């Protein structure tokens, strides 16, 4: 069983965004696998960098569509994205400075971070994007 299993309840009803969310979950699951397999800081940081890179791409994609269709909650959603990226970067800095070891606590944070954002903030756009060409 994976650390996070995709579930239909996570669907935001926009296929491309569901696929991107599944990719984000897959990277977090890789981090979990790395932790239990005893990967070193270098390998874990490499996966975390990929998570940050893919997250930025995904957030940009959502923001581009929100902006194109004048989504009314665009500004708040963008701010939530910025905060999430800043939070993960802070963790990354702590890991790189040796202040904190990669841990289940960090993975629990990432799981909560992603799932809460998808189930909360992202799900709000489902109805708005229904029938739009994304
Ligand atoms: Fe799917 Fe708003 O991130």
């Amino acid at each position: 069983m994976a650390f996070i299993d995709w579930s239909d309840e996570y669907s935001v009803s926009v296929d491309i965004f569901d696929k991107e969310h599944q990719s984000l979950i897959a990277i977090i699951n890789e981090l979990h696998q790395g932790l239990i397999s005893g990967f070193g800081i270098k390998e874990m940081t490499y996966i975390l960098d990929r998570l940050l890179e893919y997250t930025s791409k995904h957030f940009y994609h959502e923001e581009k569509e929100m902006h194109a269709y004048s989504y009314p909650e665009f500004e708040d959603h963008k701010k939530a994205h910025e905060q999430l990226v800043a939070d993960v970067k802070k963790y990354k800095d702590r890991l790189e400075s040796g202040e904190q070891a990669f841990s289940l606590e960090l993975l629990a944070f990432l799981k909560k971070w992603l799932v809460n954002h998808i189930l909360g903030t992202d799900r709000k756009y489902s109805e708005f994007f229904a029938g739009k060409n994304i």
Side-chain angles (χ1 to χ4, degrees):
M1 191 175 158
F3 182 60
I4 309 177
D5 283 309
W6 172 261
S7 148
D8 285 344
E9 74 165 314
Y10 297 156
S11 175
V12 292
S13 306
V14 179
D15 283 353
I16 187 67
F17 293 153
D18 280 345
K19 285 197 178 85
E20 291 176 8
H21 290 151
Q22 285 164 9
S23 296
L24 287 171
I25 286 172
I27 303 174
I28 294 178
N29 284 337
E30 264 186 67
L31 279 169
H32 180 252
Q33 192 55 47
L35 181 69
I36 57 179
S37 304
F39 282 13
I41 187 79
K42 204 173 156 191
E43 293 150 302
M44 293 300 274
T45 305
Y46 174 72
I47 305 174
L48 191 59
D49 278 340
R50 278 180 37 229
L51 177 66
L52 271 166
E53 193 184 321
Y54 193 85
T55 299
S56 297
K57 255 201 222 160
H58 165 64
F59 284 176
Y60 176 75
H61 189 187
E62 281 187 349
E63 288 165 18
K64 191 167 81 99
E65 299 297 350
M66 284 177 203
H67 190 257
Y69 286 105
S70 302
Y71 179 57
E73 297 192 41
F74 170 72
E75 288 299 335
D76 285 346
H77 201 127
K78 192 169 187 289
K79 271 185 206 145
H81 284 167
E82 285 162 2
Q83 186 60 56
L84 288 167
V85 170
D87 288 346
V88 178
K89 278 187 178 157
K90 249 184 255 164
Y91 263 107
K92 190 181 163 234
D93 288 346
R94 287 169 65 189
L95 283 172
E96 285 179 335
S97 69
E99 185 194 323
Q100 184 184 353
F102 212 96
S103 63
L104 277 173
E105 181 205 322
L106 172 55
L107 277 158
F109 161 78
L110 290 173
K111 182 176 184 173
K112 199 170 142 200
W113 169 83
L114 180 68
V115 170
N116 283 354
H117 184 73
I118 294 172
L119 289 176
T121 315
D122 282 355
R123 291 274 291 278
K124 287 189 197 167
Y125 63 54
S126 299
E127 212 175 303
F128 179 81
F129 279 142
K132 294 188 171 64
N133 187 24
I134 294 176

